[in-house]
Amino acid sequence: MPVVQLPPLIGVTVDHHDAEPPSEATYTVRRNYVDALNEAGAAAILLPFDQAAVPRYAELCDGLLVTGSIPGHPGSTERQIFDKAMIRAVMDRERPVLGICNGLQMMGLVLGGRVVDVAAGPHGPDHAGDCVAERLAHGIRIADDGLLHRIGKSVGDKPGHSVNSLHRQALDRSGAYTVCAEADDKGVEAIELPGHPFALGVQWHPEYRLTALDRAILAAFVAACRPAREPTLHPD
């Protein structure tokens, strides 16, 4: 009987919308997060805000994708508590985690950093742009070593890359992480957790897959999730 290797299962955090009556409230996430993971060879599972289920989710998933939110809004208190708990649980198990935009900021908060408003922080207000993520907005410079450096070199050894931009808050440099990419104005564009197999946060949105770097980040993340477990399926 042939053995089929199953794709890694990646947990994807979600946002939610309140409603009246409360029974009509919804969880929501943009489809392109899931499409991007599928394209890179992973299966995705959406994670509702169930604090009691965090240990089970962390054991179930081979990796965690922490998604963005509405620019300038980190999400509800309930979401922030859940996202931070998931990040801690996955990092403690040394499973891969990728934070995107707000996801980077949640990773930074877990690691002792601070989030500041764009207008008052290291970024200029143009980083929010006109809230269109389907086009490139500015360049970044990647540090000369580390995880993101290796990913960047895989798509061409060049000093700078261009990214989209869709945020009104930014992470500072005070936490227990390495800043591995910055914008021309020195704003934090990516962080890594030293010593972790794969813990990367990016301030832009690679799920739109505008560049070779975007696709390489997603591919590297999915590849890192594969060794976590090697389940097999015996088809009938």
Side-chain angles (χ1 to χ4, degrees):
M1 181 179 296
V3 175
V4 178
Q5 202 67 42
L6 294 177
L9 182 65
I10 297 177
V12 178
T13 64
V14 298
D15 214 330
H16 78 289
H17 292 298
D18 292 327
E20 288 298 334
S23 59
E24 298 304 307
T26 58
Y27 287 113
T28 180
V29 67
R30 277 188 286 104
R31 177 174 168 170
N32 62 350
Y33 288 109
V34 174
D35 289 346
L37 291 175
N38 292 163
E39 183 183 272
I45 183 170
L46 305 184
L47 304 178
F49 307 149
D50 184 349
Q51 283 293 117
V54 165
R56 182 72 180 99
Y57 290 158
E59 286 297 324
L60 174 69
C61 297
D62 298 305
L64 175 68
L65 173 62
V66 189
T67 61
S69 63
I70 298 172
H73 299 277
S76 67
T77 299
E78 185 182 15
R79 176 184 177 176
Q80 292 182 55
I81 292 171
F82 176 80
D83 283 5
K84 291 175 185 177
M86 278 302 307
I87 291 167
R88 291 187 186 99
V90 170
M91 284 184 173
D92 286 347
R93 289 164 175 78
E94 294 195 335
R95 295 201 177 145
V97 56
L98 174 63
I100 292 178
C101 199
N102 178 70
L104 167 143
Q105 295 167 15
M106 291 298 105
M107 289 177 63
L109 291 174
V110 167
L111 296 170
R114 296 179 302 156
V115 173
V116 296
D117 290 337
V118 163
H123 290 277
D126 58 327
H127 279 264
D130 54 6
C131 293
V132 176
E134 293 89 350
R135 61 172 176 261
L136 300 176
H138 62 79
I140 61 168
R141 283 197 164 271
I142 297 175
D144 291 336
D145 56 15
L147 173 61
L148 188 58
H149 173 72
R150 295 192 295 273
I151 295 172
K153 283 182 70 69
S154 75
V155 297
D157 189 9
K158 56 184 179 180
H161 296 268
S162 293
V163 298
N164 57 9
S165 193
L166 194 64
H167 63 103
R168 293 194 174 92
Q169 292 180 309
L171 189 65
D172 73 358
R173 297 171 183 260
S174 64
Y177 43 78
T178 298
V179 175
C180 55
E182 62 181 25
D184 291 340
D185 58 10
K186 307 301 182 184
V188 174
E189 287 289 334
I191 62 170
E192 301 172 9
L193 177 58
H196 192 281
F198 192 110
L200 175 66
V202 297
Q203 187 60 72
W204 67 95
H205 284 267
E207 74 277 12
Y208 284 86
R209 291 156 283 168
L210 299 181
T211 68
L213 177 63
D214 289 345
R215 293 179 184 275
I217 288 169
L218 293 160
F221 173 54
V222 170
C225 292
R226 288 195 178 99
R229 284 193 297 279
E230 293 289 347
T232 55
L233 174 67
H234 296 270
D236 294 332

